[in-house]
Amino acid sequence: MFDFLSDYDNPTLLGAFWMTVKLTFFSGIGSLIWGTLLAAMRVSPVPLMRGFGTAYVNIVRNIPLTVIIIFTSLGLADVFGVTMGASDFQVRGFRLAILGFVVYTAAFVCEAIRSGINTVPLGQAEAARAIGLTFSQTLRLIILPQAFRSVIGPLANVLIALTKNTTVAAAIGVAEAAYLMKQMIENEAQTLLIGAVFAFGFVVLTLPTGLFLGWLSKRLAVKR
Amino acid sequence: MTSVLYDAPGPRAKRRNVLISVIFFALLALLAWFIWDAMDEKNQLEWALWKPFTQSEAWTTYLLPGLGNTLKAAALAMVIALPLGAFFGISRLSDHRWVRGPAASVIEFFRAIPVLLLILFANEAYDRWANVTTEQRQLYAVVTGLVLYNASVLAEVVRAGILALPKGQSEAAKAIGLRKGQTMRTILLPQAVTAMLPAIVSQLVVIVKDTALGGVMIGFTELLNSRGTLAANYANPIASFIVVSIIYIVLNFMLTSFASWLEQRLRRSKKSTGAVLSAEDMEELNPAATGGTYGTGAGGSI
């Protein structure tokens, strides 16, 4: 019944899901960094930076991820020759997809962190200023460490959404789970079975992540 | 709120802020120039590539029909997903375990699966087991995928909306002798619907964005797909991407603004119970306050 699963070797089933994991991992790290920087800009005392942050979030959030991913391939790579240092088509697609995911997901990471900054009581920032810390010291030493602990829950949501969103990379030929499912489902007769296998794969990927980060966020939440 | 992070600037801070602003502006200008130069080098700035968008043909042949299909799929998905979501959301609040359990499983299952997989599966399923034409099939598949996913997200919205109501509401209903069904129908649901409205409008943005998946993966002729045909005709990939992105941004920005306007208005309203759910509330409410599990497939507004 499951014979067809081994008929595919480019990618194999495990290989496809491994690609999904890799996409999620690198995009997750990238968007965490870029998203934190954006959040810092959005709360900074410099109006121009705040404006840039706000504009970025509002623009990127409202563009479909699919448009961004397709643009990295048809726009960045084909027109402008941006290949991210890759000669192989697969590697190029992989790196471009990560770029697209980071650009998109960072907007949501930024909003999550900003909501976390809002949960830190006023007195903390006032106390920090009273002992003479600068804005960046206040942010780095007092606000962000507390904010991060309170946004693990929302960030977990973003990470899980990112895991599911990596399927969009199939649109530019990255051999991940959705790409393989499309191939299989078109060629094989066991439509239901294939659907179940891939659904199961995503439940396996997202359920433990959600449970672990949920447990972590309850453990680390600053009790006030 | 965030201005608590820094004091009102004094003379030194003002000077420093101006300096940082100038440097940041220079960086942005450099980036803009870099992009402009790259576009110029690849001849993407030529008027011929942008001219089609000033004439009606590009709009009537490609963009408007595409946008129409996008809106049609989104509207259909919303209209079907809402009652379905309400049904599952209420079922999940049932007193009977055999109702609560299956409802929770269905909701968590469909939230855990990427919409793209649902659309791919639905497309193949309609092809194999249903008698619909190709063109209809693509619309059906997109709508089915969106309905399954968004109904489960909306189910959580409904649940959170009902749980956000003050406890006194259902206690009072019990006190005057209403049955459970009556309490839900006449007391809780009408108030919850008001509380949910902003979150529902925000969810529309997600639906509009996800229709683009159908265009790329199963050839549904929505806005992004029409962009491909348009770019092939006028050879203007970059220009078409920019115009189509602007359409999406304007459309979704209007929805987002409407949602936050609605939220503020409802919060101010004297008639409501004060329970209002925004999209952000949902993300925070979901796991913690409503006593649910850490949903496998959260991320309602992304």
Side-chain angles (χ1 to χ4, degrees), chain A residues 61 104 122 129 164 188 207, chain B residues 4 111 128 209 296 298:
Chain A
R61 239 191 346 191
Y104 182 78
L122 261 164
R129 281 209 307 276
K164 295 187 292 174
E188 308 291 335
L207 191 65
Chain B
V4 301
R111 282 169 75 210
R128 254 171 231 269
K209 288 196 292 184
T296 45

Side-chain angles (χ1 to χ4, degrees), chain B residues 249-268:
Chain B
I249 292 168
V250 169
L251 177 65
N252 289 334
F253 190 74
M254 283 188 326
L255 286 172
T256 320
S257 314
F258 177 60
S260 52
W261 174 82
L262 201 62
E263 190 192 328
Q264 272 172 13
R265 200 192 142 93
L266 291 175
R267 279 198 202 284
R268 268 189 282 123

Side-chain angles (χ1 to χ4, degrees), chain A residues 43 46 50 61-62 79 104 108 122 129 153 157 160-161 164 167 171 182 185 188 191 207 210 214 217, chain B residues 1 4-7 21 42 111 113 116 121 124 128 149 209 216-217 227 252 283 294 296-298 301-302:
Chain A
V43 298
V46 185
R50 285 205 302 274
R61 239 191 346 191
N62 288 323
V79 177
Y104 182 78
F108 295 90
L122 261 164
R129 281 209 307 276
N157 282 345
I160 288 167
K164 295 187 292 174
T167 50
K182 189 170 155 62
I185 213 165
E188 308 291 335
T191 310
L207 191 65
S217 84
Chain B
M1 172 64 210
V4 301
L5 285 174
Y6 44 86
D7 274 319
S21 297
K42 303 289 176 189
R111 282 169 75 210
I113 300 173
L116 179 54
F121 181 81
E124 196 62 24
R128 254 171 231 269
Y149 176 73
K209 288 196 292 184
V216 181
M217 297 303 284
R227 182 218 67 83
N252 289 334
E283 270 163 41
Y294 248 93
T296 45
S301 67
I302 183 164

